[in-house]
Amino acid sequence: MNEQTTDLRETVRRRYAAAAMKVTEGATACCGPEPVEIDENFGSTLYKADERAALPAEAVAASLGCGNPTAVAELRAGERVLDLGSGGGIDVLLSARRVGPTGRAYGLDMTDEMLQLALANAEKAGATNVEFLKGTIEAIPLPAGTVDVVISNCVINLSTDKPAVFAETFRVLRPGGRIGVSDVVADDSLSVEERAERGDFVGCIAGALSLAEYRHGLEAAGFADVEITVTHPVADGMHSAVVRATKPPAIETVDTCCGVNACCTSHENPAGPALTATEAKTASGCACQG
């Protein structure tokens, strides 16, 4: 990790640590926690009133995202969901409610103060199907193929190594799993320098990918069915967007009535090294010779 990357990560960590402390300190005051929203394009106002009302005030106040990923991820009962950059836990707690007691919601954050706040919020909410992990989104501390859905709320744009984020997200998803992410994206016409002119890195602007770059990054990591839907502007030429994609299902291999794997599909290959697929099928008398 180079010095600039380290400095940017530390700047992000300090900003979110300060936000967590503001909420925690406000919660002990007479009037309750103060929200840390930047403006109407970020924060808890992007959630429905009934969703906010069902959660601890501290989880709502700590929201710094640019969307509501739980509203677009189509979570189902029994699923395992991972929130990248979980902050005070608002999306983890909403996800836990959606997946129910047979599911599980993980939150990943690198900031101790946010993790402490999230744990306290989970306890207040009585959520027993949640788990918060310390780590970075470039090196997710979960085994491969362990989650059904990955969500994130305006956090991927903060990473200085987005290819690593996409690769790690792909790794931890099971085959057939999916992502439902809210993030800031730039018009394809804007250069990196022009994005930086519109806001700083910590403010979720300078580090944003363009629409084409985001799509290419996900596809390069192996994702399919990439959809990027702009929802609202956050700066000139910069937008909040919903990003969806899927990890392709595993290719099923079917052995051998014909001496080949995946017989009669476009993926068929010989079961042994001695014969080609066509030779193996002919030798076995397979009825499917196409």
Side-chain angles (χ1 to χ4, degrees), residues 15-42:
R15 187 270 179 113
Y16 284 88
M21 292 304 297
K22 178 182 178 181
V23 171
T24 301
E25 291 168 0
T28 63
C30 65
C31 303
E34 289 291 326
V36 290
E37 289 140 343
I38 302 168
D39 57 39
E40 70 276 6
N41 297 313
F42 297 85

Side-chain angles (χ1 to χ4, degrees), residues 192-210:
V192 172
E193 292 74 21
E194 288 171 327
R195 295 171 218 173
E197 292 171 358
R198 285 155 171 78
D200 62 14
F201 205 100
V202 178
C204 303
I205 300 297
L209 296 174
S210 72

Side-chain angles (χ1 to χ4, degrees), residues 206-229:
L209 296 174
S210 72
L211 290 158
E213 289 167 346
Y214 217 119
R215 178 180 296 277
H216 174 75
L218 288 170
E219 291 175 343
F223 284 98
D225 305 319
V226 178
E227 298 178 3
I228 304 176
T229 305

Side-chain angles (χ1 to χ4, degrees), residues 50 53 56 62 82 97 110-111 116 118 139 167 172 184 263 266 280 283 288:
D50 61 338
L82 167 66
R97 292 166 63 91
M110 68 176 183
T111 308
Q116 292 168 8
V172 300
V184 172
C263 184
S266 60
C288 176

Side-chain angles (χ1 to χ4, degrees), residues 122-160:
E123 185 175 357
K124 290 175 183 176
T128 58
N129 59 337
V130 304
E131 183 176 346
F132 290 97
L133 309 168
K134 183 176 181 179
T136 68
I137 62 176
E138 297 87 1
I140 300 171
L142 284 174
T146 52
V147 295
D148 301 292
V149 189
V150 172
I151 63 172
S152 185
N153 197 348
C154 208
V155 170
I156 294 175
N157 61 75
L158 297 172
S159 173
T160 56

